[in-house]
Amino acid sequence: MSAVNQDQSDYWNGEVGQRWAAHHHALDRAFAPFTEALFARAALKPGQRVLDIGCGAGETALIAARTLGSSGHVTAADLSQPLLDTARARAAQDLPGAAPVEWLRADAQEHDFGAAFDHALSRFGVMFFDDSIAAFRNIRRALVTGGRLTFLCWRPMDENDWVTVPRAAVLPLLPPVEPAAPDGPGPFRFAAREALLPILEAAGFRAVEHEPLDRTMLLGDTPEAAAEFAATRGPIARLLRESEPAVRQAALEIITALFAERFGSGPVRLGGACWLVSAGT
Ligand SMILES: C[S@@+](CC[C@H](N)C(=O)[O-])C[C@H]1O[C@@H](n2cnc3c(N)ncnc32)[C@H](O)[C@@H]1O
């Protein structure tokens, strides 16, 4: 693997990647309403060849494989070894009749995938590139003429209650937090519609469509489970990753108490807001 995106590689191969891998069921459940919209828009057809970018623990690659059937093919690429290991283990138990999946540890920004794919898709895996134009150009090169790109990325943080509600509760525990650079890699890299459009066009994509998607996310069946979800994955985990264990524990307790106050002892559901983006070659 090359040295581009080294920080992201360290991040997704470290503690956070391991946590995502261990708790992928909760993530897949929370993201399920978005996943459904992604596949409805992608409208994959049996026999197609699909590239999953930043496939993580494999949920979308496996859905694609089942949709394509045995005549199709999925290449699922990610920087993270722990996530790929989990994905591979899930695939080993997967359904007969599904397309074969190649799990590939690769940087989507520069790996030569060959111009072989009918469709490239991603669930929240395209916002972490050092050089987004180079990355989308590389993804564009992986598509056949007439190929399609479909992906999900987050809208601004302040439209995502599943982030802002627990975040507001933990900020008082932390030293002042520098706002993230809007054009640096991170979950909100393409929150502004105008941040993405020129990048996709410079990368050679055409007829870009941007649809706002608002869905309720189930963060957990209890305040404890939901607080664990909120504090250990996603933007809050990024905030807390340099913190002492005692601060992380305090954050978990504060979020649990907040959710218990708001939702009682039952399931915790908060709003999520993302863009569903599709484009042609
Ligand atoms: C927010 S996670 C989403 C994972 C998965 N798509 C899901 O929805 O569960 C982002 C993923 O993108 C991967 N990733 C980040 N930068 C990448 C790159 N340059 N090439 C390939 N994968 C990358 C990370 O390792 C991580 O698995």
Side-chain angles (χ1 to χ4, degrees):
M1 298 262 306
S2 76
V4 301
N5 297 308
Q6 190 57 52
D7 287 354
Q8 292 299 321
S9 179
D10 293 347
Y11 183 77
W12 292 105
N13 280 290
E15 197 192 332
V16 170
Q18 285 163 13
R19 260 191 261 131
W20 271 67
H23 300 286
H24 70 84
H25 289 296
L27 278 158
D28 292 335
R29 202 167 63 143
F31 291 161
F34 292 122
T35 310
E36 200 182 318
L38 174 75
F39 279 93
R41 169 63 66 85
L44 301 180
K45 297 185 186 55
Q48 284 187 322
R49 297 175 65 89
V50 168
L51 174 62
D52 187 343
I53 304 144
C55 65
E59 173 84 345
T60 47
L62 293 173
I63 295 173
R66 290 193 288 267
T67 309
L68 301 176
S70 53
S71 59
H73 185 88
V74 178
T75 295
D78 204 287
L79 286 175
S80 168
Q81 195 60 51
L83 283 162
L84 285 168
D85 289 344
T86 300
R88 234 180 239 116
R90 293 173 75 182
Q93 308 154 10
D94 217 50
L95 299 177
V101 183
E102 178 193 9
W103 303 101
L104 189 65
R105 186 163 178 206
D107 189 325
Q109 184 173 316
E110 58 170 27
H111 182 81
D112 180 0
F113 294 105
F117 295 94
D118 302 297
H119 213 118
L121 59 81
S122 184
R123 185 180 77 176
F124 306 124
V126 293
M127 301 90 86
F128 305 97
F129 304 123
D130 282 346
D131 183 339
S132 295
I133 294 182
F136 280 108
R137 198 172 277 147
N138 194 44
I139 294 163
R140 163 78 184 76
R141 271 197 290 267
L143 292 169
V144 298
T145 306
R148 306 267 319 151
L149 169 71
T150 309
F151 66 86
L152 292 164
C153 59
W154 296 109
R155 300 217 308 278
M157 188 186 329
D158 62 10
E159 296 178 38
N160 277 282
D161 287 355
W162 74 281
V163 180
T164 54
V165 170
R167 189 175 191 272
V170 303
L171 279 182
L173 300 175
L174 302 173
V177 175
E178 294 285 318
D183 56 354
F188 300 105
R189 171 70 180 88
F190 299 127
R193 191 177 182 276
E194 53 278 13
L196 180 60
L197 217 54
I199 288 175
L200 289 179
E201 287 175 357
F205 285 101
R206 302 282 167 261
V208 178
E209 286 179 42
H210 245 95
E211 182 190 328
L213 212 59
D214 294 277
R215 295 288 185 271
T216 300
M217 295 170 59
L218 173 60
L219 299 195
D221 290 323
T222 61
E224 290 77 14
E228 221 269 326
F229 179 97
T232 61
R233 278 145 276 164
I236 313 282
R238 277 174 191 265
L239 268 186
L240 292 171
R241 89 176 147 137
E242 316 256 285
S243 304
E244 296 295 323
V247 174
R248 294 192 200 193
Q249 183 57 32
L252 197 61
E253 286 166 16
I254 285 176
I255 300 172
T256 306
L258 174 79
F259 285 165
E261 191 185 338
R262 190 158 162 180
F263 298 96
S265 57
V268 174
R269 293 187 172 86
L270 286 168
C274 67
W275 295 112
L276 175 58
V277 182
S278 55
T281 50

